[in-house]
Amino acid sequence: MTRVLVVEDDPQLVRALVLNMQARAYGVDAAPDGATALRLTAARQPDVVVLDLGLPDMDGVDVIRALRGWTRVPILVLSARSASDEKIAALDAGADDYITKPFSMDELLARLRAAVRRAAAVPIDAEQALVTTREFTIDLGAKKVRRRGHDVRLTPTEWHLLEILVASPGRLISQKHLLQEIWGVSQSDKTNYLRVYMAQLRRKLEADPSHPRYLITEPGMGYRFEM
Ligand code: CA
C-alpha cells in the first residue's frame, strides 16, 4: 500500500484529500502543521508527502529543507496561485513538484502517482540508457541523439541541458537549478540563456518547435521533459 502524508492546516481540504486517497486505496496520515509533519514523516515513513506551503507554525519551505536533511521521499507542494517565488523556493529546497490551489482532485492524484512512480523507478544505467520517444532517441551513455534515422548534433551546453531534463521525466526542473548546474550561476536575470538553449533544442528535436511536445516550459518556473 502506498502511504501518503498530507500536511495541510485547512480541515475541509484535508478531509477531501483523505477521502479521495483512501477511496483509491492509499494509506493516509494527516498533519496540521510543520512540526507534526516532521514527526510523522520519521515515524510513518510515507511513500510521498503532500505539503501545503502555508502552515501555521513553520514556513513550508523550511519543512522541505528539514526533510531533505535525511530523506528523499517525494514531496508534492500545494501552493497558492499568487506565490510564484514561494514555489521556486520550494523546488530549490528539494520539492519534486507543485500544484496550484485550487486544483482538481484528478490532477492532484495524477501528480501523486507520477511522484511515486519516479521514486520507485530503477536508477538509469548511464552506460546503456536509452530514452526513446516517437520523435527521437537519446543514448545517455554514448551522449548521442538520433532523430528519424539521423544523428543530431548538439553543443555541449545543449547536451548538458537535455541530459538534466531527461534524467527526470515528467519532473519540473527549476530555472535556478538548471542555471546552477550548467553555468554555475543562480541569478534569475540569466534565464534568457535558458530560453535560448531550449529554443535551440526544440528546433533540433521537436516536430513543431513552437508547440513542443517533449520539452515543456512551465512559465516563470522551469522546464519539464515529457516522454
Ligand atoms: Ca494553509
Side-chain angles (χ1 to χ4, degrees):
M1 179 193 281
T2 302
R3 299 209 62 85
V4 186
L5 175 62
V6 173
V7 187
E8 168 64 64
D9 59 325
D10 172 351
Q12 274 186 308
L13 181 52
V14 171
R15 189 163 176 278
L17 289 168
V18 169
L19 286 174
N20 273 281
M21 289 174 187
Q22 285 177 340
R24 286 157 183 86
Y26 289 105
V28 193
D29 292 301
D33 54 54
T36 310
L38 296 178
R39 187 167 53 73
L40 283 183
T41 306
R44 310 283 287 179
Q45 304 275 322
D47 299 296
V48 58
V49 174
V50 175
L51 174 70
D52 176 34
L53 288 181
L55 295 171
D57 62 333
M58 285 174 74
D59 187 331
V61 175
D62 290 333
V63 175
I64 297 168
R65 288 200 189 97
L67 290 175
R68 282 292 172 258
W70 63 274
T71 175
R72 293 170 57 85
V73 64
I75 302 172
L76 174 56
V77 160
L78 307 178
S79 167
R81 181 172 298 279
S82 53
S84 133
D85 287 353
E86 189 185 57
K87 286 179 224 166
I88 292 167
L91 292 169
D92 285 332
D96 293 87
D97 200 358
Y98 77 94
I99 188 164
T100 303
K101 291 180 181 178
F103 49 82
S104 81
M105 199 55 73
D106 284 346
E107 186 182 359
L108 176 85
L109 292 165
R111 299 283 191 92
L112 200 64
R113 285 193 298 273
V116 172
R117 265 202 312 275
R118 282 199 298 275
V122 180
I124 50 173
D125 177 353
E127 292 308 309
Q128 51 184 327
L130 284 184
V131 176
T132 305
T133 71
R134 291 169 64 127
E135 189 68 26
F136 52 84
T137 301
I138 304 167
D139 185 333
L140 290 168
K143 295 190 185 286
K144 282 192 171 166
V145 182
R146 283 180 74 79
R147 179 174 171 214
R148 299 180 177 180
H150 299 282
D151 285 334
V152 179
R153 287 177 181 276
L154 298 184
T155 68
T157 302
E158 289 165 359
W159 174 260
H160 196 172
L161 178 57
L162 183 65
E163 198 176 28
I164 295 169
L165 292 170
V166 302
S168 303
R171 178 172 172 179
L172 172 60
I173 311 290
S174 74
Q175 293 173 345
K176 186 176 168 189
H177 178 80
L178 291 168
L179 288 169
Q180 264 170 345
E181 285 290 317
I182 297 167
W183 292 286
V185 296
S186 58
Q187 299 100 310
S188 53
D189 61 343
K190 298 291 195 296
T191 52
N192 57 325
Y193 290 7
L194 283 176
R195 276 196 291 276
V196 169
Y197 281 98
M198 285 299 292
Q200 287 173 194
L201 274 179
R202 286 181 181 134
R203 272 198 297 278
K204 293 180 179 183
L205 299 178
E206 296 273 1
D208 180 357
S210 56
H211 298 95
R213 155 75 180 78
Y214 302 101
L215 301 166
I216 309 297
T217 301
E218 295 271 349
M221 303 292 298
Y223 299 92
R224 283 180 202 274
F225 172 67
E226 292 289 353
M227 293 286 281

